[in-house]
Amino acid sequence: MVAKNGRRSWAEPYKIKVVEPLKTTTREERRRAIEEAGFNTFLLRSEDVYIDLLTDSGTNAMSQDQWAGMMLGDEAYAGSVNFYNLERAVAEYYGYPYLVPTHQGRGAEHILSQVWIEPGDHVPNNMYFTTTREHQERAGGTFVDVIIDEAHDPKSEHPFKGNVDLGKLGSLIEEVGAEKVPYVSVAATVNMAGGQPISLENLRAVRELTRSHGIKVVLDATRAVENAYFVKHREAGHEGRTVAEILHETCSLSDAATVSAKKDLLTNIGGFLATFDEELFEEARALVVVYEGLHTYGGLAGRDLEAMARGIVEMVDEDYLHSRIGQVEYVGEKLAEAGIPIVRPVGGHAVFLDAKGFFPEMPQDHFPAQTLAAELYLDSGVRAMERGVVSAGRNRETGEHNYPSLELVRLTFPRRVYTQAHCDVTVESVLEVWNNRENVRGLRMVHEPKHLRFFQARFERL
C-alpha cells in the first residue's frame, strides 16, 4: 500500500532477539513519582518510566556483532588490542590519525579545553551545548554564539540551521583579535537548535576564514554521521555520495574532534578526542593519564573499546540510518499534522516540542519546558528532557537566568530500541497534553545546583 505522500512503508532493518520488559503505571503512581523527583525528569527512577525518550546518549541497543566483540575484550592495563582496533576504525572512517580515548564525550571536551583555552580567550560556537560550554568557561574562555539567526526560530524551514554566521564570526575575530580565539567549536548536528545540521558548504567557508587568521576548528562529531545523512539528502551535489564519504570530508575540514561514542557509535559508554594535530595529541595524551586513565584505555574497559570500534562500521550503514532518522521524522510529521508546535525541520535524533507554543502566556522564569516535560510524564510515563531556560543556566557575571529564545522539550529516540507502536503512544500522549494545556500551572525552582543545574534541580508547582 502506498501512502498519500507517495512513500512506501518501511520497516526497521533488524529483528528483535532479546526483549526488556516495560512497566506500565497508573496516573496516581506517576504523580507521586514526579513529585518525589522534584518535577525533574532526570531524577525519576528508570523503573517508573514507560517509554524513555530522555536521551539517545548510551541508551542504544547494540548489535549481535558488538556483543560478540565484548567477549573479546582485552583487559590489559596497557596496550589493549581493542584500542588499536578502535584507532584503525577512527582513522578509516573519520580520518584522524591521532586518537585519545575518554570515558565519554565530556572527558574529551575537558581535556581539549585545558590544552587549547587560556583565560581571556573567546570561543565561538554554533549555539551552546551544556557540557561543552561548561568546560570552555571553566578553562577561562568566553562562549560566543555565532550560529545563523534562523536557528533561533523554531518555525524556520532552513535546511541547515546549524550553519555558522560568517559575519558574526568575522566580527568577533576583528573585535577581540585572532590571538584570543583559539578555535571555533562547530557541532554537527546542533543539539540545542533541534538536532539541526551544518552544510558542507558552510563548513568549508568556516575553514577558509579561520585558516586565514590562524584559528583552529574543532568539530563536535558526536552526531556527525546523522549530519552527513542530512548533507546527502538536503545539500545539492552530494546525492550520489555515501554517508561514509561525506563524514570523512566533514572531519577533514577540522583540526580535531570531540566525540561521545554513546550516540552515533551505538554504544552504552565511551568517547574520544581525535586530531590531525600531533602537538595537541601529545599534550592530550599526557592529560588523559591524569583525568581518565592510561592513553590506551582512557577510563574504559577493553570490551567497551571493541564495541566502539565495531559500532563505527555499523553507524554508516545507510539502511540503518534511513530507519533511525525515519523514525524521528515519522513522529515529527505526525505531530506537525496535528498542529503541535515543534522545531522545523525535524532533526536527526529527536523531535523538539516548542514549549512557548504550548504555554504562550507562561513567563520563562516559570519554566515552560520543564513544566511540559513533567506533564508528558504525568500523562503517559513518557520521559523527555527540558532544553530551555533551566539548561541555559545563569549569566556568570549578573547571576540572572540566561533566557534562550528556544524553550524546548526534547523527545530523544534511542537507536534501535523502540518500535513504531511506541512512537504512536508518544504522539498520542503529546496530543493529550496539548488538549489540556490551558489547565497547566508552571513551576518554581526550589533547589539549584551550582553546575549544570538541569541534571539535579528540583521544582514545585506554582
Side-chain angles (χ1 to χ4, degrees), residues 308-328:
M308 289 165 61
R310 297 183 181 216
I312 288 175
V313 178
E314 295 179 11
M315 71 183 184
V316 295
D317 178 85
E318 300 200 17
D319 286 337
Y320 149 71
L321 283 168
H322 176 68
S323 167
R324 189 279 188 285
I325 294 178
Q327 187 178 60
V328 179

CSV table of all heavy atoms in Angstrom, one decimal, residues 308-328:
chain,number,residue,atom,x,y,z
A,308,MET,N,32.9,0.1,20.6
A,308,MET,CA,33.0,1.3,19.8
A,308,MET,C,33.6,1.1,18.4
A,308,MET,O,33.1,1.6,17.4
A,308,MET,CB,34.0,2.3,20.6
A,308,MET,CG,33.3,2.9,21.8
A,308,MET,SD,34.6,3.7,22.9
A,308,MET,CE,35.2,5.0,21.9
A,309,ALA,N,34.7,0.3,18.3
A,309,ALA,CA,35.3,0.0,17.0
A,309,ALA,C,34.3,-0.6,16.1
A,309,ALA,O,34.2,-0.2,14.9
A,309,ALA,CB,36.5,-0.9,17.2
A,310,ARG,N,33.5,-1.5,16.5
A,310,ARG,CA,32.5,-2.2,15.7
A,310,ARG,C,31.3,-1.3,15.4
A,310,ARG,O,30.7,-1.4,14.3
A,310,ARG,CB,32.1,-3.5,16.3
A,310,ARG,CG,33.2,-4.5,16.4
A,310,ARG,CD,32.8,-5.9,17.0
A,310,ARG,NE,34.0,-6.7,17.1
A,310,ARG,CZ,34.0,-8.0,16.9
A,310,ARG,NH1,32.9,-8.6,16.6
A,310,ARG,NH2,35.1,-8.7,17.0
A,311,GLY,N,31.0,-0.5,16.3
A,311,GLY,CA,29.9,0.5,16.1
A,311,GLY,C,30.2,1.5,15.0
A,311,GLY,O,29.3,1.9,14.3
A,312,ILE,N,31.5,1.9,14.9
A,312,ILE,CA,31.9,2.8,13.8
A,312,ILE,C,31.5,2.2,12.4
A,312,ILE,O,31.1,2.9,11.6
A,312,ILE,CB,33.4,3.1,13.9
A,312,ILE,CG1,33.6,4.0,15.1
A,312,ILE,CG2,33.9,3.8,12.7
A,312,ILE,CD1,35.1,4.4,15.4
A,313,VAL,N,31.8,0.9,12.3
A,313,VAL,CA,31.5,0.3,11.0
A,313,VAL,C,30.0,0.3,10.8
A,313,VAL,O,29.5,0.5,9.6
A,313,VAL,CB,32.0,-1.2,11.0
A,313,VAL,CG1,31.7,-1.9,9.7
A,313,VAL,CG2,33.5,-1.2,11.2
A,314,GLU,N,29.2,0.0,11.8
A,314,GLU,CA,27.7,-0.1,11.6
A,314,GLU,C,27.0,1.2,11.5
A,314,GLU,O,26.0,1.3,10.8
A,314,GLU,CB,27.1,-0.9,12.9
A,314,GLU,CG,27.6,-2.3,13.0
A,314,GLU,CD,27.0,-3.0,14.2
A,314,GLU,OE1,26.1,-2.4,14.9
A,314,GLU,OE2,27.5,-4.1,14.5
A,315,MET,N,27.6,2.3,12.0
A,315,MET,CA,26.9,3.6,12.1
A,315,MET,C,26.7,4.2,10.7
A,315,MET,O,25.9,5.1,10.6
A,315,MET,CB,27.7,4.5,13.0
A,315,MET,CG,29.0,5.1,12.4
A,315,MET,SD,29.9,6.1,13.6
A,315,MET,CE,31.3,6.6,12.5
A,316,VAL,N,27.5,3.8,9.7
A,316,VAL,CA,27.4,4.4,8.4
A,316,VAL,C,26.6,3.6,7.5
A,316,VAL,O,26.5,3.9,6.3
A,316,VAL,CB,28.8,4.7,7.8
A,316,VAL,CG1,29.6,5.8,8.6
A,316,VAL,CG2,29.6,3.4,7.7
A,317,ASP,N,26.0,2.5,7.9
A,317,ASP,CA,25.1,1.7,7.1
A,317,ASP,C,23.8,2.5,6.8
A,317,ASP,O,23.1,3.0,7.7
A,317,ASP,CB,24.7,0.4,7.9
A,317,ASP,CG,23.8,-0.4,7.0
A,317,ASP,OD1,24.2,-1.2,6.2
A,317,ASP,OD2,22.5,-0.3,7.2
A,318,GLU,N,23.6,2.7,5.5
A,318,GLU,CA,22.5,3.7,5.1
A,318,GLU,C,21.1,3.1,5.3
A,318,GLU,O,20.2,3.9,5.5
A,318,GLU,CB,22.8,4.2,3.7
A,318,GLU,CG,24.2,4.9,3.7
A,318,GLU,CD,24.4,5.8,2.5
A,318,GLU,OE1,23.4,6.2,1.8
A,318,GLU,OE2,25.5,6.1,2.2
A,319,ASP,N,20.9,1.8,5.3
A,319,ASP,CA,19.6,1.2,5.6
A,319,ASP,C,19.3,1.5,7.1
A,319,ASP,O,18.2,1.9,7.4
A,319,ASP,CB,19.6,-0.3,5.4
A,319,ASP,CG,19.6,-0.6,3.9
A,319,ASP,OD1,19.1,0.2,3.1
A,319,ASP,OD2,20.0,-1.7,3.5
A,320,TYR,N,20.3,1.4,7.9
A,320,TYR,CA,20.1,1.7,9.4
A,320,TYR,C,19.8,3.2,9.5
A,320,TYR,O,18.9,3.5,10.3
A,320,TYR,CB,21.4,1.3,10.2
A,320,TYR,CG,21.6,2.2,11.3
A,320,TYR,CD1,20.7,2.1,12.5
A,320,TYR,CD2,22.6,3.1,11.3
A,320,TYR,CE1,20.9,3.0,13.5
A,320,TYR,CE2,22.8,4.0,12.4
A,320,TYR,CZ,22.0,3.9,13.5
A,320,TYR,OH,22.1,4.7,14.6
A,321,LEU,N,20.6,4.0,8.9
A,321,LEU,CA,20.3,5.5,9.1
A,321,LEU,C,19.0,5.9,8.6
A,321,LEU,O,18.3,6.8,9.2
A,321,LEU,CB,21.4,6.2,8.3
A,321,LEU,CG,22.8,6.3,9.0
A,321,LEU,CD1,23.8,6.8,8.1
A,321,LEU,CD2,22.7,7.2,10.3
A,322,HIS,N,18.5,5.3,7.5
A,322,HIS,CA,17.2,5.6,6.9
A,322,HIS,C,16.1,5.3,8.0
A,322,HIS,O,15.2,6.0,8.2
A,322,HIS,CB,17.0,4.9,5.6
A,322,HIS,CG,15.6,5.0,5.1
A,322,HIS,ND1,15.1,6.2,4.6
A,322,HIS,CD2,14.5,4.2,5.0
A,322,HIS,CE1,13.9,6.1,4.2
A,322,HIS,NE2,13.5,4.8,4.4
A,323,SER,N,16.3,4.1,8.6
A,323,SER,CA,15.4,3.7,9.7
A,323,SER,C,15.5,4.6,10.9
A,323,SER,O,14.4,5.0,11.4
A,323,SER,CB,15.7,2.2,10.1
A,323,SER,OG,15.0,1.9,11.3
A,324,ARG,N,16.7,4.9,11.3
A,324,ARG,CA,16.9,5.7,12.5
A,324,ARG,C,16.3,7.1,12.4
A,324,ARG,O,15.5,7.6,13.2
A,324,ARG,CB,18.4,5.8,12.8
A,324,ARG,CG,18.7,6.4,14.2
A,324,ARG,CD,18.7,7.9,14.2
A,324,ARG,NE,19.2,8.5,15.4
A,324,ARG,CZ,18.6,8.5,16.6
A,324,ARG,NH1,17.4,8.0,16.8
A,324,ARG,NH2,19.2,9.1,17.6
A,325,ILE,N,16.6,7.8,11.3
A,325,ILE,CA,16.2,9.2,11.1
A,325,ILE,C,14.7,9.1,10.7
A,325,ILE,O,13.9,10.0,11.0
A,325,ILE,CB,17.1,9.9,10.1
A,325,ILE,CG1,18.5,10.1,10.8
A,325,ILE,CG2,16.5,11.3,9.7
A,325,ILE,CD1,19.5,10.7,9.9
A,326,GLY,N,14.3,8.1,9.9
A,326,GLY,CA,12.9,8.0,9.5
A,326,GLY,C,12.0,7.8,10.7
A,326,GLY,O,10.8,8.3,10.7
A,327,GLN,N,12.4,7.2,11.8
A,327,GLN,CA,11.6,7.1,12.9
A,327,GLN,C,11.3,8.4,13.6
A,327,GLN,O,10.2,8.7,14.0
A,327,GLN,CB,12.3,6.1,14.0
A,327,GLN,CG,11.4,5.8,15.2
A,327,GLN,CD,12.1,4.8,16.1
A,327,GLN,OE1,13.2,5.1,16.7
A,327,GLN,NE2,11.5,3.7,16.3
A,328,VAL,N,12.3,9.2,13.6
A,328,VAL,CA,12.2,10.6,14.2
A,328,VAL,C,11.3,11.4,13.3
A,328,VAL,O,10.4,12.2,13.8
A,328,VAL,CB,13.6,11.2,14.4
A,328,VAL,CG1,13.4,12.7,14.9
A,328,VAL,CG2,14.5,10.4,15.3
